[in-house]
Amino acid sequence: MSVSVLIKTLNEAENIAATIESVLEAIGPDDEVIIADSGSRDGTVEIAARYPVKVVQIGPGAVPSCGLGPQLGFQYSKGRYLCLMDGDMRLDPEFLGTAKAFLESHPQAAGVAGRVEEMNLDNLEFARRKSRDHQDYHAGAVDRLSGGGLYRRSAIEAAGHLSDRNLHGYEEFELAVRLRSQGFTLYRLDIPFVQHFGYRMNAYALLLRRWQSKYLRGIGEVLRAAWGKPHWFQVVREIRELKLWAAVYAGLAGLVLTMVLVPDKLLALGLCLVAIAAAIGVMSFKHRSLSLGVYAVTVWVFVAAALPLGFFAPRRDPGEWIESRVVHEPSVSPHLETEQSLP
């Protein structure tokens, strides 16, 4: 088996058919496609089962998370290379061939990705993501493969596991730290990888959803996962947002102290509002958008509140078998014509 394409899903009925079809057009006869479902209830599994792909789904005892999906697919996979995608992405037909050639010519590279094109820019979150000058998305050597990519199986096995089931976010960064601590490198090529069709809901509704799903606890969970391990200081050093969250905590403490210590409460309130407006102004200037500035500061507060919740959350062994079952096995090779009926 050459490539195992691992597609993680949770209620992706709107997108999963197009995602699978884009993958089937890109793979070869020695490749496989695995849908790793975290308990969809919207018909995602039934739609996926119409295609010549393996569909696996979590069972009782497994709690959905961003880190669980990739590991679920990995434990059923056989490919020498692992292509990690979300259920709302479209794979570029040329990516796998170029990415495999790169890994074959760069034996120290554990993984490679390409450009991730955000298609839903009506949502402030994805517009902010595209507007940010993140080094993760630059071509060349990177410290993580945000948005998925093609990984070398032998490198994943050397690092212990593909993704940590305990993580509700930052699972790609946590994997990258483990890989780089083993001496591997990661690259992003200046070629298309996927189109990403994110949530079309209001950005603030999405932020609330991410709070409820514990996604925002990711940074705290990554810190906890690395606690006591040799790469702990590497994690602390490389989570660029930690300095930001420290500043947020300091700012919140300053607001509280201002309200407590300044006798004139009206003046204290005014000083607090000026400080908040200044923070919004700085972010609005950075993003060249007032709405993005307000949203960025709101995100700061939510993540700052979620970080300690993630750090102190209980953990399970990330390498243990994920409770699951095989829902559908392909009856024909994935590169052949897709099946037209449910099993």
Side-chain angles (χ1 to χ4, degrees), residues 20 24 43 88 108 117 124 134 160 206 224 236 246 293-294 302 336:
I20 293 175
L24 292 177
D88 58 358
Q108 284 304 114
E117 183 179 2
L124 286 177
H134 270 326
L206 176 59
R224 175 63 181 276
V236 173
V294 173
F302 272 76
L336 299 178

Side-chain angles (χ1 to χ4, degrees), residues 23-264:
V23 172
L24 292 177
E25 291 177 1
I27 63 174
D30 296 328
D31 302 331
E32 66 176 352
V33 183
I34 300 176
I35 308 300
D37 187 75
S38 292
S40 296
R41 298 182 178 180
D42 67 344
T44 297
V45 168
E46 290 77 11
I47 295 171
R50 298 172 185 166
Y51 295 89
V53 301
K54 176 176 285 189
V55 182
V56 298
Q57 187 176 53
I58 61 171
V63 180
S65 70
C66 292
L68 180 140
Q71 184 65 17
L72 172 62
F74 175 65
Q75 70 184 21
Y76 286 96
S77 68
K78 301 176 182 177
R80 180 184 178 192
Y81 299 107
L82 307 161
C83 182
L84 181 59
M85 294 177 53
D86 290 343
D88 58 358
M89 292 178 168
R90 312 287 189 273
L91 180 63
D92 185 88
E94 305 298 324
F95 172 76
L96 289 179
T98 304
K100 282 195 297 182
F102 182 89
L103 291 179
E104 289 168 0
S105 62
H106 295 77
Q108 284 304 114
V112 61
R115 295 193 301 271
V116 177
E117 183 179 2
E118 295 293 347
M119 305 301 292
N120 181 16
L121 298 184
D122 293 334
N123 185 297
L124 286 177
E125 167 61 24
F126 299 115
R128 183 173 75 108
R129 183 181 300 177
K130 187 165 185 174
S131 73
R132 290 181 298 191
D133 188 27
H134 270 326
Q135 70 180 43
D136 328 358
Y137 293 97
H138 292 173
V142 293
D143 65 359
R144 74 196 78 176
L145 297 183
S146 299
L150 187 71
Y151 291 93
R152 190 189 307 274
R153 185 184 198 90
S154 58
I156 298 299
E157 292 174 344
H161 50 276
L162 178 57
S163 61
D164 187 335
R165 66 184 296 171
N166 300 285
L167 303 182
H168 291 84
Y170 275 68
E171 71 281 2
E172 292 154 324
F173 168 72
E174 192 273 341
L175 168 61
V177 171
R178 286 187 284 112
L179 288 169
R180 288 186 287 109
S181 69
Q182 295 289 323
F184 292 104
T185 55
L186 298 164
Y187 289 87
R188 187 174 298 277
L189 304 178
D190 190 19
I191 61 171
F193 167 37
V194 292
Q195 293 179 326
H196 179 221
F197 294 79
Y199 293 107
R200 289 186 293 182
M201 66 176 63
N202 175 275
Y204 291 96
L206 176 59
L207 183 60
L208 181 59
R209 176 186 179 130
R210 287 178 168 175
W211 173 271
Q212 295 170 336
S213 69
K214 302 181 181 180
Y215 175 88
L216 299 180
R217 301 186 184 187
I219 293 179
E221 292 168 339
V222 168
L223 290 171
R224 175 63 181 276
W227 182 259
K229 295 184 172 62
H231 57 267
W232 158 257
F233 290 106
Q234 183 179 356
V235 169
V236 173
R237 183 172 62 253
E238 293 186 4
I239 297 182
R240 299 183 291 274
E241 294 87 347
L242 282 183
K243 293 180 180 179
L244 172 60
W245 306 140
V248 171
Y249 291 134
L252 292 174
L255 295 179
V256 172
L257 289 175
T258 299
M259 293 301 300
V260 171
L261 298 179
V262 176
D264 187 335

